[in-house]
Amino acid sequence: MRGDLIEQFLDAESITSMDNLVAANEETAALDCAKNIARQLGAEEPYTKIADRSSDGEKKLISSFHKNLVLLIQKTWVEKSDEELKAQVLYHLEEFCKLMNAQSYTASYAPFFSIVDDVVYLMFGSQSKSKDFSEYALRIDPEFGIFWWYLQSLPRDARWSESKSRLVILLGMYFLANY
């Protein structure tokens, strides 16, 4: 999502940070960009602690992410036809958390998007698949809209280093664990 609407919610530095995050080859540069985006979500300090490999923040985040998403998925009312999707998402969430706990970040990258896409579908229904969903998300809940912009700005087929994949996934996880 590019254009005037996102610029109403984010400063130019954050938009540039997103582009730089995608292009970054070094962990330090990727971390700086991710922290700037986290700042826009009001999460720079906690994200910085989670990203610090010497803390137990990542392990706590994985646990919190798992618990909160399980609750969100279980509490989301869906049509009978989507009950099977709920069960699949819960299974994929379990598998994803195992990968994250094993520090298999590049292997976790694609499943993370799949889980988020499915959870957002369960929450918003077919509207989440519409071309104007990004705009809708920004207007109904700017914080969620910025998160969605973040996810939509990331390449789905990236082949990044373990450390860069880790930083990108942790930022998305932090938002969802605290949504």
Side-chain angles (χ1 to χ4, degrees):
M1 173 191 348
R2 297 284 178 207
D4 296 333
L5 187 59
I6 194 63
E7 292 169 358
Q8 294 175 26
F9 296 90
L10 290 175
D11 59 25
E13 181 183 2
S14 296
I15 294 169
T16 300
S17 288
M18 188 68 227
D19 294 335
N20 292 342
L21 174 62
V22 170
N25 290 321
E26 296 178 15
E27 183 176 5
T28 305
L31 178 59
D32 289 343
C33 295
K35 287 191 317 189
N36 189 19
I37 296 164
R39 180 179 49 81
Q40 290 296 313
L41 295 169
E44 183 177 10
E45 185 178 331
Y47 175 75
T48 300
K49 288 178 183 175
I50 290 164
D52 180 355
R53 290 186 183 269
S54 68
S55 77
D56 65 347
E58 180 179 336
K59 189 173 188 97
K60 288 179 180 177
L61 176 62
I62 294 168
S63 175
S64 177
F65 176 78
H66 178 263
K67 288 176 190 172
N68 288 349
L69 247 62
V70 165
L71 276 173
L72 180 64
I73 294 164
Q74 289 176 341
K75 299 291 181 188
T76 300
W77 182 88
V78 296
E79 298 289 337
K80 187 133 181 94
S81 60
D82 288 329
E83 286 295 331
E84 187 175 319
L85 178 60
K86 267 177 108 166
Q88 287 176 359
V89 176
L90 288 169
Y91 172 77
H92 292 144
L93 177 61
E94 294 298 325
E95 295 302 307
F96 169 77
C97 289
K98 286 178 189 174
L99 286 171
M100 288 298 291
N101 280 318
Q103 299 180 346
S104 298
Y105 306 111
T106 54
S108 301
Y109 187 81
F112 176 69
F113 282 105
S114 178
I115 291 165
V116 172
D117 286 345
D118 288 343
V119 168
V120 171
Y121 174 80
L122 291 172
M123 291 170 57
F124 293 96
S126 61
Q127 181 158 8
S128 68
K129 306 289 185 197
S130 72
K131 67 178 183 140
D132 63 341
F133 181 71
S134 296
E135 181 178 325
Y136 172 78
L138 269 171
R139 293 191 190 282
I140 63 160
D141 183 348
E143 189 175 273
F144 180 80
I146 292 169
F147 164 73
W148 193 248
W149 164 82
Y150 169 73
L151 285 180
Q152 298 307 302
S153 298
L154 294 169
R156 297 292 176 112
D157 59 351
R159 300 283 181 245
W160 290 329
S161 67
E162 289 285 324
S163 61
K164 182 173 176 178
S165 296
R166 174 183 178 266
L167 294 172
V168 167
I169 293 168
L170 290 178
L171 183 53
M173 285 177 65
Y174 180 81
F175 177 83
L176 283 176
N178 293 286
Y179 185 64

